[in-house]
């Protein structure tokens, strides 16, 4: 695809990721108001909550109540909920508001244990059950390959290893796979490498990028993924968030406003209502601690 041709990009806004590691509980009413504003912006998808143990992620213990109160009546955005096991999936599929179930499958055995207290092998077995639930309830499974750009634990990481995971997911009929940075180790070189390896080889898969970044490196990372053919990008307004299970010093999520500015320079269409987006940014400044 030529860079001077306009291309449509899907932006997945991730307030769930922005909120999940915060110590002070954001009131349920504030979460509902914020999500309802995000639903006016025009994002393809909103990663809005999770059905996981409240002991693990206490900030999102009110996801069910939040989902019952959000207003999808005039929004084209779809809702994604993160699940970490069969029980969470069984809860998530009961919500008509939910289109996507997102599951974190780590390329790192160490991080899989940290994040979900499961081995990779057990997680893959879980995915079989979760995919069956998705199909039965007309939901779509999104698998996040965490530690997708390398890991700090010395666990295996190379092209053939990543492809093993992709091929296993294809046997489960997974259609959307997002490569997640998790700890900010991605750089333009490995971003280009991995997407250039995967996207041409597996055209039946929609590959996404869930990147963490310092503000200074957003443009070069987004540009690298875009030029390698990626058209699905996760972000969070003002770059809030990070994975609390990594137990390391983290850089934050990609700042959505920086991503949008970058896509403008790449002549890529994002379908955003700028006035609604500006209001969402103002709300984020009031909701999230600085």
């Amino acid at each position: 695809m030529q860079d001077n041709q306009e291309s449509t990009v899907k932006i997945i806004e991730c307030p769930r990721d922005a909120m999940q590691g915060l110590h002070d509980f954001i009131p349920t009413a504030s979460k509902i108001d914020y999500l309802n504003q995000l639903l006016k912006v025009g994002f393809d998808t909103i990663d809005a909550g999770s059905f996981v143990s409240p002991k693990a992620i206490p900030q999102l213990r009110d996801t069910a109540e939040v989902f019952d109160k959000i207003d999808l009546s005039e929004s084209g955005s779809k809702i994604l909920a993160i699940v970490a096991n069969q029980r969470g999936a069984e809860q998530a599929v009961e919500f008509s508001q939910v289109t996507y179930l997102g599951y974190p499958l780590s390329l790192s055995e160490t991080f899989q244990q940290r994040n979900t207290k499961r081995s990779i092998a057990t997680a893959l077995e879980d995915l079989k059950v979760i995919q069956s639930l998705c199909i039965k309830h007309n939901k779509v499974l999104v698998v996040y390959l965490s530690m997708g750009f390398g890991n700090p634990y010395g666990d295996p990481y190379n092209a053939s290893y990543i492809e093993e995971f992709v091929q296993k997911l294809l046997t489960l009929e997974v259609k959307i796979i997002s490569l997640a940075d998790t700890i900010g180790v991605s750089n333009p070189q490995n971003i280009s490498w991995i997407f250039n390896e995967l996207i041409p080889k597996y055209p039946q898969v929609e590959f996404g990028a869930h990147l963490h970044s310092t503000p200074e490196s957003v443009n070069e990372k987004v540009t690298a993924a875009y030029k390698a053919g990626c058209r699905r990008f996760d972000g969070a307004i003002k770059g809030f968030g990070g994975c609390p299970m990594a137990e390391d010093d983290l850089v934050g999520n990609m700042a959505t406003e920086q991503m949008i500015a970058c896509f403008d320079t790449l002549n890529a269409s994002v379908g955003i209502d700028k006035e609604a987006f500006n209001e969402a940014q103002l709300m984020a400044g009031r909701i999230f601690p600085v």
Side-chain angles (χ1 to χ4, degrees):
M1 184 175 294
Q2 297 178 5
D3 292 340
N4 63 353
Q5 291 181 331
E6 184 176 278
S7 182
T8 300
V9 168
K10 294 181 180 180
I11 293 184
I12 289 72
E13 179 64 21
C14 301
R16 182 272 316 167
D17 201 2
M19 293 178 183
Q20 67 179 4
L22 296 177
H23 179 270
D24 294 332
F25 186 74
I26 296 176
T28 301
S30 296
K31 289 175 182 158
I32 294 166
D33 289 345
Y34 186 50
L35 287 173
N36 281 335
Q37 182 60 39
L38 293 177
L39 284 165
K40 299 175 183 178
V41 174
F43 297 116
D44 180 85
T45 302
I46 299 174
D47 176 356
S50 63
F51 292 93
V52 299
S53 167
K55 291 181 180 179
I57 309 290
Q59 183 63 247
L60 300 175
R61 63 182 184 264
D62 57 352
T63 290
E65 184 179 353
V66 169
F67 281 6
D68 278 336
K69 298 288 179 63
I70 58 176
D71 182 9
L72 289 161
S73 61
E74 297 183 8
S75 178
S77 299
K78 298 171 284 290
I79 296 295
L80 182 147
I82 295 292
V83 302
N85 53 37
Q86 180 180 341
R87 181 179 178 183
E90 288 170 345
Q91 291 177 281
V93 296
E94 294 300 324
F95 284 82
S96 61
Q97 299 91 333
V98 173
T99 297
Y100 298 114
L101 270 63
Y103 184 91
L105 176 66
S106 182
L107 295 174
S108 158
E109 185 72 50
T110 303
F111 188 68
Q112 189 72 52
Q113 293 283 359
R114 279 190 177 193
N115 198 32
T116 64
K117 296 183 171 28
R118 278 164 165 69
S119 66
I120 290 173
T122 302
L124 286 165
E125 290 301 314
D126 286 347
L127 272 173
K128 292 180 183 178
V129 177
I130 292 169
Q131 177 68 305
S132 295
L133 284 166
C134 286
I135 293 170
K136 180 180 178 181
H137 293 270
N138 198 30
K139 309 297 184 186
V140 178
L141 178 60
V142 178
V143 174
Y144 286 89
L145 288 180
S146 57
M147 298 292 169
F149 298 91
N151 66 81
Y153 312 118
D155 292 338
Y157 183 82
N158 55 52
S160 61
Y161 182 71
I162 298 168
E163 282 198 54
E164 285 179 24
F165 278 76
V166 172
Q167 289 164 5
K168 287 174 182 175
L169 294 174
L170 284 175
T171 66
L172 300 178
E173 300 183 1
V174 174
K175 301 293 197 308
I176 305 174
I177 301 173
S178 190
L179 277 292
D181 188 358
T182 315
I183 55 171
V185 298
S186 62
N187 58 61
Q189 291 72 35
N190 65 11
I191 291 170
S192 294
W193 165 71
I194 189 59
F195 285 119
N196 277 317
E197 285 282 334
L198 295 176
I199 290 173
K201 200 172 292 186
Y202 301 99
Q204 69 272 48
V205 175
E206 179 182 351
F207 286 101
H210 181 103
L211 304 172
H212 289 184
S213 177
T214 61
E216 295 76 20
S217 59
V218 167
N219 284 2
E220 60 182 7
K221 289 185 178 184
V222 168
T223 299
Y226 181 84
K227 289 188 174 181
C230 183
R231 296 295 183 268
R232 179 185 179 93
F233 290 81
D234 289 18
I237 287 174
K238 297 185 182 294
F240 291 126
C243 179
M245 297 305 171
E247 299 176 10
D248 295 299
D249 292 332
L250 294 175
V251 293
N253 285 299
M254 284 276 190
T256 308
E257 59 273 20
Q258 282 190 267
M259 289 171 50
I260 290 172
C262 182
F263 289 129
D264 282 346
T265 67
L266 293 167
N267 199 30
S269 172
V270 294
I272 296 299
D273 181 317
K274 291 187 177 180
E275 184 175 340
F277 181 67
N278 290 339
E279 179 58 33
Q281 287 183 278
L282 291 173
M283 289 185 71
R286 296 192 293 266
I287 289 172
F288 292 95
V290 178

